[in-house]
Amino acid sequence: MVAEGGTDGGFQAYHEPHVIEILILVSFFLFLALSDWLADKIFRAGLIGQIIVGLVYGVPLANILEINWRETFLALGYAFIVGTALCSTSLGTTFVIINSASNATDYSQTRIGTVLISAAVLDDVCGLVLVSVIHQPRGIAEDGDVNLGWIIGRPVLASGLLAILTPLVAKFVAGPLFRRFLEKPLSKFKHTANILLMTVVLCAFLAITAFAGASMLFGAFLAGAFLSSIPSKEKTPSEPETTSFVTTFEYYLSGPQKFILQPLFFASIGFAIPFGELWTGEVIWKGLVFTILMVLSKLVVGLVVPAWDMFSAVGFPKPAPPANERMSASWAPATLLGTAMVARGEIGLLIIQIGLNETPFLTRKAFVVDVWAIVLNTIIGPVSVGMLLKKVGDQIATDKMWGIQSKPRDIDVESVMAPEQPGQDGRLPEGKGEESIGGV
């Protein structure tokens, strides 16, 4: 007789899944792939299709997937965030959009792409700190005699100390020890050693952040930053070839992340949307107001681009063009930076879900209004970025200030140190006298 909970004699009893369950799961993953392709063709943002599939298969609309499968996929989606934090070439929704925008141009290698990545990192870090903070006010309602400053300040203090100490430990302690004693021996085992070390470091940071009161997602992010900073940056010809952590991640994990965990994550966003409660007049107009405010607050980030171009000529070929010409050329990278920052919905949904389910301070109506705003932002951002890159992507990539920059090794050091001798006609050889900054 099978024991309660599906176990018999201390082991999990096997029961063949019903054919209906199998067909539902097959169709779910099939439509995730098809919706990604279709939405990418229409909106240049495949994640919108995956969110819609999550809406249809989850409770919000058709309620096709059983609750145990939805809980499993929600857990797998949360693992996706950990994987994204560990991978140095992906930062959530923003990077998904940029990576899917063009097969010919890597916009992450542009100067505006670098600024965007830095802004997205800071944005995510602030979000992850807020995740750890929002867990805490539950104790205020349960016990009125509490230290409010410590309840809210502990996760902020822990996150700040970890953010400061992690790079210092990596640079002055772990990095030198790893390069001196471990890097060369571990290079013989390549991916195996890297996977083991990545797992150990990840578990260590998850434990540290959990017991310190910070967010475990922030711990995963710090683990990725820690691992990326400890290997040797440059190799001499006599040193053995080593396998980087990024290479190991891409070799073993990028495929499952791209084709399984990433679609499940965006589908899980669809699961979390209370679709039936979104359609009252008050919720709609308040959600639209919140949406406009949230979009404007992100678009304003792009103003740093024309401001920088107006007050600085750094990076321009000499002589630098007038300030008004620099500003007129900066609208495209400025718009890209602002619109790409709009699409930051996954952390927002995570925070309000925690606020609703684990604290008594967020009402159901406020939760639904926030969902409206976050969902609309998650749609507006990807669509805007996709349309923008389709129209002026080449202009952004070749922009002399904010596009893809020439590599330092292209510059001849001797020619820089010694002035070029003119030819018989008194002119400098063609191509000399100034360095190209733009170009693909």
Side-chain angles (χ1 to χ4, degrees):
M1 184 176 182
V2 178
E4 184 178 355
T7 60
D8 184 10
F11 64 91
Q12 181 72 36
Y14 172 77
H15 297 280
E16 189 177 58
H18 194 274
V19 64
I20 299 298
E21 292 185 7
I22 295 176
L23 292 176
I24 288 175
L25 289 176
V26 170
S27 67
F28 177 65
F29 282 101
L30 175 63
F31 284 122
L32 280 177
L34 290 177
S35 65
D36 175 76
W37 175 82
L38 185 62
D40 185 62
K41 291 294 183 183
I42 298 175
F43 305 112
R44 307 291 294 177
L47 60 92
I48 294 177
Q50 294 165 353
I51 293 175
I52 294 174
V53 171
L55 271 170
V56 173
Y57 273 75
V59 174
L61 289 180
N63 196 17
I64 298 173
L65 278 175
E66 294 185 2
I67 184 64
N68 56 337
W69 285 112
R70 294 198 301 270
E71 290 175 347
T72 301
F73 293 156
L74 284 170
L76 287 174
Y78 188 93
F80 169 70
I81 301 176
V82 172
T84 301
L86 270 178
C87 180
S88 62
T89 57
S90 179
L91 285 170
T93 308
T94 299
F95 235 54
V96 172
I97 301 164
I98 291 180
N99 289 339
S100 63
S102 173
N103 293 326
T105 304
D106 185 1
Y107 291 99
S108 66
Q109 300 303 313
T110 62
R111 177 169 286 173
I112 193 65
T114 303
V115 174
L116 172 60
I117 293 170
S118 302
V121 168
L122 293 174
D123 196 26
D124 272 356
V125 167
C126 292
L128 296 178
V129 172
L130 288 174
V131 169
S132 59
V133 171
I134 208 168
H135 278 282
Q136 307 304 319
R138 176 174 49 188
I140 300 174
E142 296 174 353
D143 183 6
D145 187 19
V146 294
N147 188 332
L148 180 60
W150 177 244
I151 286 179
I152 298 178
R154 179 190 174 193
V156 176
L157 179 62
S159 301
L161 288 175
L162 286 169
I164 295 172
L165 293 176
T166 297
L168 293 177
V169 171
K171 181 177 179 62
F172 297 109
V173 181
L177 291 175
F178 175 80
R179 291 188 289 270
R180 182 170 183 178
F181 299 108
L182 293 178
E183 189 171 36
K184 191 176 293 185
L186 292 180
S187 65
K188 301 176 183 178
F189 303 98
K190 297 184 178 179
H191 291 304
T192 303
N194 282 357
I195 284 286
L196 179 62
L197 188 58
M198 290 165 69
T199 304
V200 170
V201 170
L202 174 61
C203 293
F205 273 91
L206 292 180
I208 291 171
T209 51
F211 286 108
S215 167
M216 288 190 291
L217 294 177
F218 186 46
F221 175 84
L222 291 176
F226 178 86
L227 287 169
S228 66
S229 61
I230 60 175
S232 301
K233 302 301 180 185
E234 297 180 359
K235 300 289 183 183
T236 62
S238 60
E239 290 180 320
E241 190 68 24
T242 59
T243 304
S244 68
F245 295 113
V246 173
T247 303
T248 299
F249 185 94
E250 292 176 349
Y251 186 81
Y252 282 103
L253 302 175
S254 62
Q257 174 181 297
K258 180 178 180 180
F259 296 108
I260 299 177
L261 300 180
Q262 178 178 305
L264 288 179
F265 171 68
F266 290 114
S268 68
I269 292 180
F271 297 160
I273 298 173
F275 190 79
E277 301 179 35
L278 296 177
W279 307 105
T280 65
E282 182 182 1
V283 168
I284 291 175
W285 77 260
K286 286 184 178 180
L288 291 175
V289 170
F290 271 68
T291 299
I292 294 171
L293 293 175
M294 291 173 69
V295 170
L296 291 177
S297 68
K298 294 295 185 180
L299 288 177
V300 75
V301 177
L303 294 179
V304 301
V305 174
W308 179 267
D309 285 348
M310 183 175 182
F311 296 109
S312 173
V314 176
F316 282 102
K318 304 297 187 271
N324 60 338
E325 293 183 16
R326 300 201 302 269
M327 287 191 65
S328 63
S330 65
W331 74 267
T335 308
L336 174 62
L337 178 60
T339 53
M341 291 295 292
V342 170
R344 306 302 296 171
E346 67 278 11
I347 295 296
L349 283 173
L350 179 67
I351 292 174
I352 62 167
Q353 285 281 350
I354 294 172
L356 178 68
N357 299 323
E358 301 191 19
T359 73
F361 302 108
L362 186 66
T363 65
R364 184 79 179 185
K365 183 176 290 186
F367 169 78
V368 177
V369 170
D370 285 349
V371 167
W372 247 119
I374 293 171
V375 169
L376 289 178
N377 273 262
T378 306
I379 295 173
I380 291 171
V383 172
S384 302
V385 171
M387 294 174 62
L388 179 70
L389 291 180
K390 189 175 182 179
K391 282 183 170 293
V392 294
D394 292 339
Q395 177 184 336
I396 294 173
T398 57
D399 186 272
K400 292 183 178 180
M401 179 63 178
W402 300 103
I404 297 177
Q405 308 296 298
S406 62
K407 298 179 180 179
R409 65 171 179 267
D410 294 335
I411 302 176
D412 186 351
V413 177
E414 294 182 0
S415 66
V416 174
M417 299 298 293
E420 187 71 31
Q421 297 299 321
Q424 294 181 352
D425 58 358
R427 298 180 180 178
L428 292 175
E430 186 177 355
K432 301 293 183 180
E434 66 178 38
E435 294 294 337
S436 173
I437 294 182
V440 180

